[in-house]
């Protein structure tokens, strides 16, 4: 077990590092670790005050004392990636792919230069959101015509990767394989004419599917407690921090960034007191086996994506006949179907097992494997594993190796803090950010 470091010991270690570094250059603690030390200072001050607070109350008090302006910038000084509202869905996916991000704010191209942030942006678009929207449109069209996917394809006609489409695909082959042809989209999503759905539909045209208008944002003076509650209980996957004066976004805080911050706090007293508890001790997993949406390895891969859309989940485990998880398909993995490669052409009959094998062979996609834990593991172990693997979820398995539960980044954050009575007033009255069963 790693020894708990006190604040003075950490500072002493830092001094040694400075002396030992060649040419006298200093190696400072990470910005995330510095946040952890600030929490430690507040934690210690509460002990000095001899306030009779529970562990949860102390954590709430600590995080409610630190402004979100202190959170490290997630884009490391680089320019924030924005998507213009007049971009097509194809262009939006291309921007997300080139920058290796899963979401970006949508800038209103018609807004004046001096517009406030409310008028400057129309929302945040996610890669998963685009995929889900396309799935919804294809299923709605199929239902309206009362025909199956194969019949719909025959009725509307499919476009294959030939001619200009093939040339266009070659031009973007070096990018993340998200969108390479209108034919691929047409095949995957029920063979609807992609010229209308994908290459002509503007991002602003699907703004009705955005969860907030323009989005739920933080100000730099808001606290970590507010941020943590929104990312957990209120199911926000990312939160823009806006500069009210400039009318711009100064930072975007994600669930993954928060879990990374926690991983940098290992060794601090406040973290160890919480993080060394087992999953069972802190009430995880929240998602029980009976509630997990899954697909068998011999079922069509397309079924996994349709289930994700219908159930409001961001990923599905793939299991064998005995119930053992053999892989995982996330909503973003639809990009592997969009390549329309020879191995994935028969997408309607392509099994989940074959889909995963093809994706691993073509791109070395490690994310389609699963990471697991047991109920006896510590919260700290889970945080370190999720951060190291850059994953959104981890599956709990029993002694026989079968699925026993699911833990997401949101679940972990939800166990770190709690919402005090009346904290948000009536702001969320009548507002349901996501369905209650959502695991996106």
């Amino acid at each position: 077990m790693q020894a708990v470091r006190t604040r003075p010991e950490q500072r002493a270690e830092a001094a040694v590092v400075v002396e030992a570094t060649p040419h006298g250059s200093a190696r400072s603690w990470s910005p995330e670790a510095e946040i952890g030390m600030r929490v430690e200072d507040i934690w210690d001050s509460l002990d000095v005050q001899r306030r009779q607070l529970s562990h949860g109350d102390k954590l709430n008090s600590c995080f409610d004392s630190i402004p979100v302006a202190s959170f490290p910038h997630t884009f490391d000084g680089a320019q924030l990636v924005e998507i213009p509202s007049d971009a097509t869905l194809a262009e939006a996916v291309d921007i997300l792919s080139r920058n290796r991000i899963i979401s970006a704010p949508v800038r209103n191209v018609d807004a004046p230069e001096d517009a406030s942030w409310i008028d400057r942006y129309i929302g945040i678009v996610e890669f998963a959101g685009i995929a889900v929207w396309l799935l919804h449109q294809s299923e709605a069209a199929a239902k309206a015509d009362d025909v199956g996917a194969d019949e719909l394809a025959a009725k509307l006609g499919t476009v294959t990767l030939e001619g200009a489409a093939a040339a266009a695909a070659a031009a973007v082959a070096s990018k993340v394989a998200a969108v390479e042809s209108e034919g691929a989209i047409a095949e995957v999503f029920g063979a609807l004419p992609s010229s209308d759905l994908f290459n002509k539909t503007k991002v602003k045209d699907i703004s009705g599917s955005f969860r907030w208008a323009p989005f739920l944002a933080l100000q730099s003076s808001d606290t970590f407690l507010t941020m943590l509650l929104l990312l957990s209980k209120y199911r926000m996957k990312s939160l823009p921090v806006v500069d009210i004066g400039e009318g711009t976004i100064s930072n975007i805080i994600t669930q993954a960034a928060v879990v990374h911050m926690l991983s940098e706090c290992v060794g601090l007293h406040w973290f160890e007191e919480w993080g060394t508890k087992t999953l069972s001790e802190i009430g995880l997993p929240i998602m029980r086996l009976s509630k997990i949406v899954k697909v068998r390895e011999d079922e069509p891969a397309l079924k996994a994506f349709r289930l994700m859309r219908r159930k409001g989940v961001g990923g599905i485990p793939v299991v064998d006949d005995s119930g053992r998880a053999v892989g995982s398909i996330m909503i973003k993995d639809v990009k592997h179907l969009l390549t329309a490669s020879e191995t994935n052409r028969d997408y309607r009959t392509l099994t989940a097992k074959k889909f995963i094998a093809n994706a691993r062979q073509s791109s070395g996609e490690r994310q389609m494997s699963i990471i697991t834990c047991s109920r006896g593991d510590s919260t700290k172990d889970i945080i370190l594993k999720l951060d190291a693997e850059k994953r959104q979820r981890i599956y709990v398995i029993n002694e026989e190796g079968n699925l026993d539960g699911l833990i997401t980044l949101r679940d972990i954050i939800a166990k770190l803090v709690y919402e005090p009575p009346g904290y948000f007033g009536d702001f969320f009255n009548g507002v349901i950010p996501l369905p209650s069963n959502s695991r996106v």
Side-chain angles (χ1 to χ4, degrees), residues 30-350:
S30 70
E32 292 82 5
E34 288 291 340
I35 292 295
M37 292 178 187
R38 289 182 64 178
V39 175
E40 186 91 332
D41 282 342
I42 300 170
W43 181 275
D44 291 342
S45 71
L46 293 174
D47 287 337
V48 171
Q49 296 171 26
R50 298 181 182 276
R51 297 175 60 183
Q52 298 299 316
L53 298 175
S54 66
H55 183 270
D57 288 337
K58 288 174 70 175
L59 281 179
N60 263 33
S61 183
C62 290
F63 288 120
D64 204 28
S65 302
I66 303 176
V68 295
S70 304
F71 199 92
H73 280 218
T74 54
F75 36 92
D76 297 325
Q79 185 175 1
L80 176 69
V81 176
E82 299 177 341
I83 295 177
S85 59
D86 59 353
T88 65
L89 297 186
E91 291 168 340
V93 170
D94 180 56
I95 292 171
L96 295 175
S97 299
R98 282 189 286 106
N99 289 279
R100 297 183 179 182
I101 55 178
I102 61 174
S103 65
V106 179
R107 175 176 50 81
N108 184 359
V109 297
D110 298 321
E113 287 294 325
D114 59 350
S116 66
W117 69 272
I118 293 179
D119 296 322
R120 186 185 299 273
Y121 300 101
I122 67 171
I124 290 182
V125 66
E126 299 179 344
F127 179 86
I130 294 175
V132 169
W133 186 85
L134 289 167
L135 277 168
H136 176 74
Q137 297 303 310
S138 66
E139 290 182 352
K143 184 177 181 180
D145 286 356
D146 196 25
V147 296
D150 290 332
E151 294 175 86
L152 186 61
K155 180 177 180 180
L156 297 176
T158 59
V159 184
T160 56
L161 252 177
E162 297 176 353
V172 296
S174 61
K175 302 171 186 175
V176 177
V179 242
E180 297 187 351
S181 76
E182 62 180 28
I185 278 286
E187 288 183 359
V188 173
F189 296 110
L192 293 174
S194 61
S195 57
D196 293 332
L197 266 185
F198 199 56
N199 285 337
K200 290 187 177 180
T201 301
K202 305 291 186 182
V203 173
K204 62 183 178 183
D205 295 334
I206 69 168
S207 61
S209 65
F210 297 164
R211 290 166 58 189
W212 300 91
F215 43 68
L216 192 61
L218 295 168
Q219 298 182 34
S220 58
S221 59
D222 285 323
T223 71
F224 269 51
L225 179 58
T226 300
M227 174 260 290
L228 294 172
L229 289 172
L230 291 175
L231 288 174
S232 56
K233 179 176 180 179
Y234 293 95
R235 295 176 167 85
M236 301 291 109
K237 295 192 70 175
S238 62
L239 288 169
V241 181
V242 298
D243 185 321
I244 300 298
E246 296 294 327
T248 57
I249 295 174
S250 60
N251 198 6
I252 294 181
I253 303 175
T254 65
Q255 293 174 346
V258 169
V259 170
H260 175 63
M261 179 198 75
L262 293 175
S263 73
E264 293 287 296
C265 297
V266 170
L268 292 169
H269 278 103
W270 69 266
F271 178 84
E272 293 292 329
E273 190 171 328
W274 173 75
T276 53
K277 289 182 170 64
T278 65
L279 298 180
S280 297
E281 288 176 328
I282 69 169
L284 289 176
I286 298 174
M287 175 66 79
R288 303 298 179 180
L289 176 61
S290 60
K291 299 294 184 181
I292 295 179
V293 180
K294 50 188 176 292
V295 64
R296 295 197 315 274
E297 61 181 354
D298 58 350
E299 292 183 304
L302 196 57
K303 177 181 178 180
F305 295 108
R306 287 174 173 155
L307 279 173
M308 281 184 259
R309 190 196 75 77
R310 293 170 184 169
K311 300 294 185 180
V313 297
I316 288 182
V318 178
V319 299
D320 60 18
D321 291 337
S322 66
R324 291 176 180 265
V326 296
S328 175
I329 299 178
M330 304 290 287
I331 189 69
K332 66 181 181 61
D333 293 327
V334 73
K335 66 187 179 185
H336 296 295
L337 282 179
L338 305 187
T339 60
S341 62
E342 289 296 331
T343 55
N344 286 345
R345 278 193 186 280
D346 297 328
Y347 71 94
R348 293 186 186 92
T349 58
L350 184 70

Side-chain angles (χ1 to χ4, degrees), residues 301 318 326-329 350-361 365 368-369:
V318 178
V326 296
S328 175
I329 299 178
L350 184 70
T351 64
K353 180 179 181 179
K354 184 64 175 176
F355 171 71
I356 291 177
N358 291 347
R360 287 173 176 168
Q361 182 177 3
E365 184 68 77
M368 299 185 77
S369 60

